[in-house]
Amino acid sequence: YFARPDTRLYGQSVHQARIHIGEQLAEQAPVDADMVMGVPESGVPAAEGFARRSGIPFGQGVVKNRYIGRSFIAPSQELRAQAVRMKLNPLKENVAGKRIVVVDDSIVRGTTQRQLTKMLREAGATEVHLRITSPPVKWSCFYGIDTGDRTELLGASLTVEEIREYLNVDTLAYVHLDRLVASTGAAGAGFCDACFTGNYPVAVPVTLRKHVLEGPVTSPGTPVQTTID
């Protein structure tokens, strides 16, 4: 998810793995459309793979402001939505009057996808079909990815159809876990899939809230010490 595209993990190219996931999605969840676009950055190579396998032309539907960071880690929904609006801008000439397949890497709270769908429709897209290169994120990560509380994860409480309605997309499909693992080319590497399955490889306090580590600051750079039982 965070890897540079030129990285090699377990002897495999990250860029090529992302392309393979897009190809798997095109096989698993085909759709009639006029253009395939990726959500920058990690959704772009998967969109290329989807386009290649489906035969639908690949194009650029949005441009990204590279000075805006990851929107999903912002502390409030309002700030997350604002970050998305500043980070992504639609190319109206490319999307107007077209049926668009949008390929993205994951849905956490759905902020990015909901705002992006709204922007694409306002820019004139006639249909928006969302394809996700991971299974539904249903469980919080305790190993370094700040996904927030489980109650905030769309996949934890809503069905795929309910998420589709919430995001206001015409169709929605997530890649199956077995297809995702196969796409890496390193199926036996022992990947963690806890955020998808709830099977944590190391015992974690699933009721723990990350906010206990984000208390007030007594002086610059010195957080209040908090005891966790």
Side-chain angles (χ1 to χ4, degrees), residues 1-3 14 18 21-22 25 37-47 64 70-72 87-88 102-110 112-113 116 130-137 145 147 172-175 180 195-196:
Y1 179 61
F2 286 111
V14 168
R18 290 171 175 164
I21 300 171
L25 265 172
M37 58 162 281
V39 180
E41 299 287 342
S42 53
V44 174
K64 179 184 178 183
R70 297 277 178 172
S71 58
F72 80 89
K87 181 171 67 173
L88 300 174
V102 178
V103 182
D104 204 356
D105 50 40
S106 61
I107 298 176
V108 182
R109 299 178 180 90
T112 296
Q113 293 81 11
L116 178 57
L130 185 58
R131 296 296 180 265
I132 304 299
T133 63
S134 69
V137 176
I145 307 298
T147 51
L172 168 64
Y174 296 83
V175 74
L180 172 62
C195 58
F196 309 133

Side-chain angles (χ1 to χ4, degrees), residues 69-80:
R70 297 277 178 172
S71 58
F72 80 89
I73 63 175
S76 72
Q77 180 64 23
E78 181 180 357
L79 290 176
R80 288 190 290 269

Side-chain angles (χ1 to χ4, degrees), residues 19-203:
I19 289 177
H20 293 329
I21 300 171
E23 293 173 338
Q24 290 283 342
L25 265 172
E27 291 182 0
Q28 176 193 318
V31 63
D32 290 329
D34 302 306
M35 187 179 83
V36 180
M37 58 162 281
V39 180
E41 299 287 342
S42 53
V44 174
E48 294 177 8
F50 192 103
R52 178 188 304 172
R53 186 60 55 89
S54 67
I56 301 171
F58 172 79
Q60 189 173 8
V62 295
V63 291
K64 179 184 178 183
N65 182 339
R66 298 180 182 275
Y67 300 98
I68 303 296
R70 297 277 178 172
S71 58
F72 80 89
I73 63 175
S76 72
Q77 180 64 23
E78 181 180 357
L79 290 176
R80 288 190 290 269
Q82 184 181 46
V84 173
R85 290 192 295 270
M86 292 189 295
K87 181 171 67 173
L88 300 174
N89 293 280
L91 295 172
K92 294 183 179 181
E93 295 79 4
N94 284 10
V95 303
K98 293 182 180 178
R99 301 168 297 171
I100 307 295
V101 179
V102 178
V103 182
D104 204 356
D105 50 40
S106 61
I107 298 176
V108 182
R109 299 178 180 90
T111 305
T112 296
Q113 293 81 11
R114 195 177 191 191
Q115 292 291 327
L116 178 57
T117 299
K118 180 180 179 181
M119 286 189 281
L120 290 173
R121 292 195 186 280
E122 290 174 348
T126 58
E127 296 178 9
V128 179
H129 302 275
L130 185 58
R131 296 296 180 265
I132 304 299
T133 63
S134 69
V137 176
K138 298 182 177 182
W139 298 82
S140 298
C141 179
F142 296 89
Y143 306 130
I145 307 298
D146 188 3
T147 51
D149 190 273
R150 189 174 182 229
T151 60
E152 300 175 352
L153 307 179
L154 291 188
S157 58
L158 301 180
T159 66
V160 173
E161 175 59 20
E162 289 170 337
I163 295 173
R164 184 199 67 76
E165 293 179 356
Y166 174 75
L167 299 178
N168 190 31
V169 293
D170 293 276
T171 65
L172 168 64
Y174 296 83
V175 74
H176 295 160
L177 181 58
D178 58 343
R179 287 178 178 267
L180 172 62
V181 175
S183 298
T184 67
F191 293 112
C192 174
D193 59 17
C195 58
F196 309 133
T197 65
N199 298 323
Y200 291 93
V202 177

